[in-house]
Amino acid sequence: MAEHIVIGDVAPRIQYAASGAQTVFIYPFPIFEASDMEVQLDGVVQPDGYAVTGAGESEGGTVVFDTAPASGVVVTLRRALTVERITDFQPNGVLRANTLNDELDRQTAFIQDLREDLASTLRAPAGELPATLVLPEKGGRANRLLGFDSLGNVTTLARDGTIQSPFNGAIPRSVEDKLAERLSARDFGAVGDGVTDDGPALQAAMNAAAASGKMLEIGEGSHRTTMPLVLPGAAAGLVMRGSIIYAGSGGEAALTIGDGAAVRNQAKFYHGLRVLRATIADWLDERDIGILLRNLDACTVDIRQVEGFTIGIRTLGEELGFEDSTITLGRIVNNRIGLDIRTETAAAWNNSVRYIGGHFANASGVNPALSRFGVRFSCASGAYDRHNAHVFYSPAFELQRQGTPGTVDAIPFLLAAGDERGIIARGIRMEQCSPFVARHAGGANDCLYEVAYVGTYAFTGAGIDYPSTATRAGGTVIPLHQALAAHGTPRLVAAAENVRQRAFRQTIDVANGVGFEQMAVLSANPSGPPTNLAGFAFAGLTLFTLNADTVGIPTSRGLAFIVDCSSCKEFFLAAEGSELRPVVMQFDASENVLDSASPVLLSNMNSVWAGSPSYFWEGNADLDSTSGGLAINGLQRVTLHANAKFAAIGVRGGSASAILKALRLYCAPLHAPTVLFGGSRKWGVREYTGSLDYDPPELTANGGEIPRASRPSVTVPHVQGGDLIDVGFSQVSGSIQWTGMIASSGVTGTVTVNARNCHDTLAINLTPGTLYVRAVKPRL
């Protein structure tokens, strides 16, 4: 060597994972001779089959194999110097610098090699007090186990197969008993390399856990399986630190937990569940399920990830129930239905479950033409459909509605079982979803959705979709970004606190008619029938019974508030009385009546279409009817059809003895709809007015009047005999007394005005002005 090499602080060992094609491998540490390089393949020293370059170079060199090592083989390149001295300095001889440097370099290299070897040895920590780590004599350690005593010194233990926990009260146990406390899938041959088919090993481990009642542990790694797996309910539970990769045929549940049929799986613990499909399903077969949980009762389930299935997770009540459990959700990705809450038989149920978290998401390119849902409530044909008391905390949905086509359904909650009750979701986050937080396809009731964030549609996409199959309007949406504090106080739209005191004589539509202030009278059998709002909203009709504090309302009559519903589609109706039936009529923007093609939904009862001539949508029960002895219908949500722009919302008599005391109409505080009555409308008003420009004649003193033949007539719509008349004049009239009267000949719609001079001595001649006339219908 012309110059000595430099021994830097570089570890004298490096390893590679062979690719199957690579033949040249670099080593970054120096060697003195090619023979100093030790080459290992999978831990086996190779005597030949390679060439070493770079000996004597400070930066190292390469090892070139004649044939590339096979893929996956571990290639180890290690400096292994022969421990010997190759120089000898003579007394009084010449001490050459290169020779001395080479010797020091070699000694430094020896020390580095020794340090590398020591790093893999068993040794006491540097900061620990000295302990006796010398082996006992050969005879003393024969047929015994090596261990440590209470001071940490080396000792030997008897080979009787028992161990003891180092705590007071502990007893000796066999090693086999200690190892059997928890079963590991690796005990049965599971590898977890993502390549080996671990299905048989995993199933054997699950069977053993069930047979022994033990907890099963599936360790780190990707455990590929071509067979569906079943963990019976007899196992104490499952803990996963790795994942299951399902590469089997479609139409199967990749992982089933718990027994089916009439077996209840109680008080189990399942943690860290991760099941991924090797290829994403086409979403056409609902038997393609990631995790199937059967008949769990009072269990704790932690699901970290489920990906690529038609149904990600299904909780199933078969012949018994799924209930009283807590499920923590992680990433629920690329599934058509993320979580399916289902029952299989009429005897089963799926109730009282808490769900924490959950990110339900789909990639934009995954089955973009198919609808997708985050959580679905479903049941088999004829199975129990009243799933109830499910509570979700902070679920997030990113379902990718903008696929091809962009109108595919991407809705967080689908209530398709038919009769769900008390489904509550709080702190919902919505991104790239349809403009609905839920779809209610049947008769769901008492459901609440609290939307914390909507990333699309300018915060307006948080409604409930009621398709044609819906029979109840049972959902409430609270968007937290819109005046949150006001949501607890619904807006009062209209109120008749005492309906009896609103009754007055109103004969516009019929003689001896009864009208009610700010309200319209409806008829169950109008002649014609009419076609628009003006024809159906009567000012007054007969057949009402006016009691001291109540109004008797027959089955053929209704009382309603008329509202502008062009923006607000949901109202709440409250009535005080007995045997009252909720009634709704709807009209389009031109005030034409809408028919059965535009259904109305109620919250606590089904709505029924009465048909022509009434065009009523009405409840199928009275508001004071009971269920199980409890009144449940007192407050009704009224959900109008999207086509409705005007609506009549009120009650009719449910029987001949129906009594009405009070009626109120509310809506969400986000809206302030108009209540229509009076003005251009004929209903709901007692007071009518008219005016006329007029130049009064001179009135003589002490009783002079307008001559009878020239007394002015003022048009006052709907004025009739018996109405209370007031007359005023725009000019200061001093002692003039103005009076009005309706013609005795029965002519309606006009008021004849007279003026009388009450001054004893002065004649009065007023300047021209305006006559004002008011007619008030008398209360009854």
Side-chain angles (χ1 to χ4, degrees):
M1 293 179 291
E3 296 182 0
H4 73 89
I5 61 178
V6 176
I7 306 297
D9 187 12
V10 180
R13 183 170 70 97
I14 190 169
Q15 290 181 306
Y16 297 91
S19 66
Q22 181 180 353
T23 59
V24 179
F25 295 84
I26 298 172
Y27 62 91
F29 49 85
I31 60 176
F32 298 93
E33 305 290 343
S35 60
D36 295 340
M37 178 61 68
E38 180 181 278
V39 178
Q40 299 179 12
L41 296 181
D42 278 345
V44 179
V45 177
Q46 305 297 305
D48 51 32
Y50 59 88
V52 179
T53 69
E57 299 294 333
S58 301
E59 297 80 10
T62 62
V63 173
V64 182
F65 286 90
D66 299 339
T67 302
S71 176
V73 169
V74 177
V75 178
T76 303
L77 307 181
R78 175 174 176 268
R79 186 173 64 205
L81 298 179
T82 303
V83 181
E84 62 177 345
R85 181 174 179 182
I86 60 174
T87 58
D88 188 18
F89 300 106
Q90 300 298 318
N92 300 321
V94 177
L95 183 60
R96 298 183 180 276
N98 284 346
T99 303
L100 180 59
N101 284 331
D102 289 343
E103 184 64 27
L104 293 175
D105 287 339
R106 186 173 292 273
Q107 291 181 20
T108 302
F110 283 146
I111 296 171
Q112 286 184 340
D113 293 352
L114 181 61
R115 182 180 65 181
E116 185 72 12
D117 292 340
L118 288 174
S120 301
T121 62
L122 189 67
R123 61 192 186 278
E128 186 178 277
L129 293 175
T132 302
L133 301 178
V134 178
L135 290 176
E137 294 181 356
K138 185 176 181 179
R141 63 178 187 265
N143 293 319
R144 294 175 66 84
L145 299 177
L146 187 65
F148 300 91
D149 62 17
S150 61
L151 298 178
N153 297 321
V154 172
T155 187
T156 59
L157 304 171
R159 294 182 61 185
D160 59 0
T162 64
I163 57 176
Q164 184 172 336
S165 177
F167 296 99
N168 291 335
I171 62 172
R173 297 173 59 194
S174 69
V175 175
E176 291 82 0
D177 182 41
K178 180 66 176 178
L179 292 177
E181 281 185 349
R182 174 178 290 189
L183 299 181
S184 170
R186 285 191 166 85
D187 294 338
F188 297 83
V191 178
D193 59 2
V195 178
T196 304
D197 187 352
D198 283 336
L202 292 175
Q203 189 58 61
M206 292 179 181
N207 293 342
S212 62
K214 301 288 186 181
M215 179 76 69
L216 174 62
E217 181 178 290
I218 298 177
E220 295 81 359
S222 299
H223 297 81
R224 182 176 178 271
T225 176
T226 58
M227 59 184 287
L229 303 171
V230 178
L231 177 65
L238 173 64
V239 173
M240 289 181 62
R241 294 198 300 274
S243 62
I244 292 174
I245 309 298
Y246 181 68
S249 59
E252 300 280 357
L255 174 62
T256 299
I257 292 179
D259 300 312
V263 179
R264 178 171 293 178
N265 307 289
Q266 291 183 309
K268 306 294 183 179
F269 179 78
Y270 307 100
H271 182 76
L273 306 186
R274 292 182 64 204
V275 180
L276 295 82
R277 209 174 187 276
T279 57
I280 296 177
D282 60 12
W283 288 5
L284 300 179
D285 189 346
E286 289 201 0
R287 297 174 301 171
D288 191 77
I289 302 171
I291 299 176
L292 174 60
L293 305 172
R294 299 190 295 186
N295 292 345
L296 299 190
D297 180 7
C299 295
T300 299
V301 184
D302 170 45
I303 299 176
R304 299 291 178 83
Q305 185 177 8
V306 182
E307 184 169 340
F309 297 88
T310 303
I311 295 176
I313 307 161
R314 171 172 281 175
T315 65
L316 184 64
E318 288 194 284
E319 294 179 22
L320 288 175
F322 191 110
E323 63 182 345
D324 297 332
S325 295
T326 300
I327 301 178
T328 301
L329 300 171
R331 290 182 55 79
I332 317 299
V333 179
N334 290 337
N335 309 289
R336 184 175 190 181
I337 299 167
L339 170 63
D340 187 35
I341 299 168
R342 187 173 178 84
T343 52
E344 199 64 32
T345 66
W349 61 90
N350 200 325
N351 302 330
S352 301
V353 180
R354 296 158 297 280
Y355 308 86
I356 302 172
H359 188 96
F360 298 82
N362 290 296
S364 59
V366 174
N367 298 322
L370 297 178
S371 298
R372 64 287 309 275
F373 301 91
V375 179
R376 182 180 75 173
F377 290 83
S378 68
C379 62
S381 178
Y384 179 81
D385 65 352
R386 187 168 288 188
H387 306 328
N388 59 77
H390 291 263
V391 182
F392 297 80
Y393 298 96
S394 301
F397 300 91
E398 196 168 352
L399 300 178
Q400 298 298 335
R401 179 179 182 262
Q402 80 284 11
T404 305
T407 56
V408 297
D409 291 326
I411 300 176
F413 291 89
L414 171 61
L415 276 60
D419 202 22
E420 300 86 351
R421 293 290 189 272
I423 310 303
I424 298 174
R426 296 194 175 278
I428 300 170
R429 173 176 172 261
M430 294 172 60
E431 291 265 12
Q432 299 298 342
C433 294
S434 298
F436 302 104
V437 68
R439 171 177 289 167
H440 287 198
N445 254 18
D446 304 325
C447 302
L448 174 66
Y449 307 95
E450 179 188 87
V451 180
Y453 178 77
V454 179
T456 327
Y457 315 110
F459 293 98
T460 61
I464 295 177
D465 178 36
Y466 294 104
S468 59
T469 56
T471 60
R472 301 284 179 89
T476 297
V477 179
I478 299 179
L480 297 187
H481 61 279
Q482 293 180 330
L484 172 61
H487 279 286
T489 308
R491 186 184 302 280
L492 179 63
V493 177
E497 293 86 354
N498 188 324
V499 176
R500 172 62 183 86
Q501 297 308 312
R502 287 174 174 248
F504 64 94
R505 184 175 66 97
Q506 178 54 278
T507 58
I508 291 177
D509 293 307
V510 65
N512 301 317
V514 179
F516 297 85
E517 286 186 271
Q518 301 183 9
M519 306 175 75
V521 180
L522 307 180
S523 173
N525 53 359
S527 61
T531 60
N532 56 26
L533 176 58
F536 280 105
F538 292 93
L541 293 175
T542 59
L543 302 183
F544 292 100
T545 301
L546 302 180
N547 304 312
D549 298 303
T550 63
V551 175
I553 178 170
T555 58
S556 62
R557 294 290 183 262
L559 282 181
F561 297 110
I562 309 296
V563 293
D564 183 333
C565 61
S566 53
S567 296
C568 181
K569 302 297 183 185
E570 287 196 326
F571 293 84
F572 301 88
L573 179 68
E576 188 76 15
S578 61
E579 301 179 56
L580 300 170
R581 191 69 54 97
V583 166
V584 181
M585 298 182 68
Q586 299 179 112
F587 304 87
D588 64 16
S590 299
E591 300 190 11
N592 296 314
V593 69
L594 297 178
D595 58 17
S596 60
S598 301
V600 171
L601 297 177
L602 303 173
S603 57
N604 294 99
M605 62 178 72
N606 293 340
S607 59
V608 178
W609 173 243
S612 178
S614 68
Y615 288 84
F616 286 174
W617 283 99
E618 57 187 38
N620 68 337
D622 293 342
L623 288 172
D624 59 342
S625 61
T626 61
S627 176
L630 300 175
I632 63 171
N633 298 318
L635 179 67
Q636 282 296 309
R637 177 198 307 276
V638 178
T639 299
L640 304 173
H641 195 270
N643 296 336
K645 303 302 178 182
F646 300 93
I649 304 175
V651 296
R652 72 165 176 85
S655 73
S657 58
I659 294 297
L660 176 61
K661 298 178 180 179
L663 192 68
R664 290 178 173 85
L665 190 64
Y666 302 87
C667 73
L670 304 178
H671 302 282
T674 303
V675 181
L676 304 178
F677 60 91
S680 62
R681 314 292 185 177
K682 64 181 179 179
W683 62 84
V685 60
R686 292 177 58 219
E687 180 179 303
Y688 298 88
T689 60
S691 63
L692 177 70
D693 292 338
Y694 181 61
D695 183 5
E698 181 176 328
L699 302 178
T700 60
N702 194 20
E705 297 180 334
I706 302 174
R708 182 180 299 275
S710 59
R711 289 175 183 173
S713 293
V714 180
T715 300
V716 181
H718 309 305
V719 67
Q720 293 181 342
D723 293 348
L724 307 174
I725 306 298
D726 291 323
V727 180
F729 190 62
S730 61
Q731 303 299 328
V732 176
S733 54
S735 299
I736 302 298
Q737 180 185 37
W738 295 94
T739 60
M741 63 180 178
I742 300 172
S744 60
S745 62
V747 176
T748 62
T750 61
V751 173
T752 301
V753 176
N754 185 25
R756 182 173 182 275
N757 186 352
C758 297
H759 200 281
D760 293 336
T761 59
L762 294 178
I764 300 175
N765 189 3
L766 299 175
T767 58
T770 303
L771 278 173
Y772 296 99
V773 177
R774 181 181 69 165
V776 179
K777 303 291 183 182
R779 293 189 184 276
L780 296 175

